[in-house]
Amino acid sequence: MHVLVRGAGVAGLAVAHELSVRGAAVTIADPRSDSSRAASWLAGGMLAPWCERESAEETVLLRGRDAIDRWDMILPGEVHRNGTLVVAPTRDQGELDRFARRTSGHEWLGEEQIAALEPALAGHFRRALFFALEGHVNPRRVLGLLREKLAVRHVAFIEQVVNEADYDDVVDCTGAARIGQTSGLRGVRGEMLYLETTEVVLSRPVRLLHPRFPVYIVPRGDGLFMVGATMIETEHDGPISARSMMELLNAAYAVHPAFADAAVVETGVGIRPAFADNFPRATREHDVVVLNGLYRHGFLLAPAMAQDAADLVFSRIEPGGNSR
Ligand SMILES: Cc1cc2nc3c(=O)[nH]c(=O)nc-3n(C[C@H](O)[C@H](O)[C@H](O)COP(=O)(O)OP(=O)(O)OC[C@H]3O[C@@H](n4cnc5c(N)ncnc54)[C@H](O)[C@@H]3O)c2cc1C
């Protein structure tokens, strides 16, 4: 069986991997050869289902809690398994209590424990929540490595499809490009930036709670930090606004004042595809399997959702191996 996967973001690559492991021949089509226009390129890469439960439905936790193990099987050694630290400015301590009430899988840390975990934050916060079971990946590295692994498995990458009828099945993973074609799919704008400084060293993602704007800082190593991300209900993908940039920078400064001297080396805007319940779906639409709506959980949920998409492809095959 030969399956065409449209889109080489995290969803498309995860589906291609799952199909290939199950024995299908796979071709991935994406007009961009390097994933750099995909929302996946801009992601924080946090595998943080317990933290996400603060604003997400239980299903996100249930389907996402083994994401770390799933990524470890796909790309061994690529997951940083050192948890998430959640802090709040002194004036917003109530936010931390509220966050603790709405989530599970955490422990409270005092000043000394915070300093032991993240020496750079010593004396900055009186208390914090620590979600020890969470992890993160570097999305750009993971996208690149997954492409390489798929190529070794003889998955073909093309920029344009000549004739979709040449394939036994098609899986569409085109993310926000499908808005308007799949009913109920909308876009949620996410703005982010990269800071570079040698003055701050962090070992894990740090989330800063704020009544208006929860922000996270993800260390990428070599003095690079991803700071994200806004959540704006629009499909407009123009450059980052001054307001968003100020808010992200203020939050970074609140986590550590040395970020004020960091270099802003990149800004980015991605459109997260989402359904009304903010949970992804794999469905068959007009003879094409569509996996979309990964919202802010593309890395968290892609491995699990790829299985659902592959199930739909294989459920079409009769025991003798013919397509129905
Ligand atoms: C700032 C930001 C931070 C985020 N942080 C996190 C995080 O920490 N953890 C997490 O789990 N998720 C995070 N997300 C969410 C995650 O990035 C998305 O859920 C995920 O990228 C969606 O993946 P996708 O493959 O569906 O879409 P995309 O990554 O957008 O990929 C779609 C691909 O389809 C291609 N394409 C478009 N049209 C066509 C066509 N006609 N034919 C073929 N190919 C086509 C595009 O070129 C693109 O490569 C974040 C998102 C943003 C914007």
Side-chain angles (χ1 to χ4, degrees):
M1 176 173 51
H2 195 173
V3 183
L4 174 71
V5 176
R6 296 184 198 139
V10 69
L13 296 179
V15 168
H17 184 265
E18 183 66 24
L19 290 169
S20 162
V21 166
R22 294 196 198 183
V26 183
T27 294
I28 302 184
D30 194 315
R32 307 292 302 205
S33 57
D34 59 0
S35 305
S36 64
R37 292 287 295 172
S40 306
W41 190 252
L42 300 164
M46 288 178 299
L47 308 177
W50 285 272
C51 278
E52 287 297 304
R53 180 69 180 97
E54 186 256 340
S55 57
E57 294 297 320
E58 178 95 22
T59 352
V60 171
L61 175 58
L62 296 178
R63 296 294 311 268
R65 64 185 165 195
D66 60 357
I68 288 182
D69 295 333
R70 287 178 188 270
W71 276 114
D72 232 6
M73 292 216 304
I74 298 172
L75 292 172
E78 284 304 313
V79 181
H80 303 271
R81 292 173 175 260
N82 40 9
T84 309
L85 197 63
V86 182
V87 296
T90 312
R91 65 175 185 281
D92 296 326
Q93 285 302 303
E95 290 301 310
L96 208 50
D97 293 314
R98 194 185 66 84
F99 197 90
R101 283 195 301 274
R102 293 180 61 89
T103 55
S104 61
H106 52 67
E107 59 180 299
W108 282 101
L109 303 186
E111 262 184 280
E112 278 180 20
Q113 293 159 299
I114 297 171
L117 217 53
E118 294 290 0
L121 300 185
H124 289 242
F125 300 98
R126 275 193 303 110
R127 54 189 199 137
L129 287 168
F130 182 48
F131 292 75
L133 294 176
E134 296 189 338
H136 70 285
V137 292
N138 180 338
R140 296 178 185 184
R141 193 176 147 79
V142 157
L143 292 169
L145 290 173
L146 197 42
R147 276 175 176 269
E148 283 173 23
K149 183 174 178 187
L150 291 171
V152 170
R153 296 187 67 90
H154 306 294
V155 170
F157 288 85
I158 59 174
E159 292 186 3
Q160 260 190 333
V161 184
V162 178
N163 187 2
E164 289 200 352
D166 291 343
Y167 300 89
D168 299 305
D169 210 346
V170 177
V171 184
D172 187 295
C173 301
T174 53
R178 217 175 149 85
I179 293 171
Q181 292 174 67
T182 287
S183 171
L185 193 67
R186 73 184 202 286
V188 181
R189 175 178 164 103
E191 296 152 304
M192 50 72 77
L193 44 90
Y194 269 94
L195 297 180
E196 193 170 45
T197 175
T198 52
E199 300 298 312
V200 188
V201 177
L202 296 174
S203 305
R204 55 187 50 75
V206 176
R207 292 189 181 218
L208 179 80
L209 302 184
H210 189 284
R212 211 172 57 255
F213 203 73
V215 174
Y216 52 82
I217 300 175
V218 189
R220 293 276 186 252
D222 294 329
L224 202 58
F225 298 86
M226 185 266 188
V227 184
T230 55
M231 298 276 292
I232 303 170
E233 290 285 338
T234 174
E235 280 133 35
H236 168 62
D237 65 355
I240 189 170
S241 70
R243 176 200 299 270
S244 296
M245 183 121 159
M246 285 190 285
E247 288 189 302
L248 292 172
L249 290 173
N250 275 337
Y253 180 70
V255 169
H256 200 299
F259 279 121
D261 295 314
V264 181
V265 292
E266 183 185 328
T267 63
V269 174
I271 303 301
R272 307 176 185 91
F275 291 110
D277 60 0
N278 293 331
F279 194 80
R281 283 177 214 162
T283 48
R284 194 172 274 285
E285 282 176 29
H286 311 296
D287 227 29
V288 170
V289 173
V290 175
L291 170 56
N292 214 317
L294 282 136
Y295 184 50
R296 50 185 278 151
H297 305 129
F299 283 82
L300 179 65
L301 296 177
M305 296 307 299
Q307 288 201 323
D308 292 10
D311 287 348
L312 286 172
V313 170
F314 280 91
S315 65
R316 230 181 160 207
I317 307 296
E318 289 170 349
N322 300 319
S323 295
R324 265 181 212 150

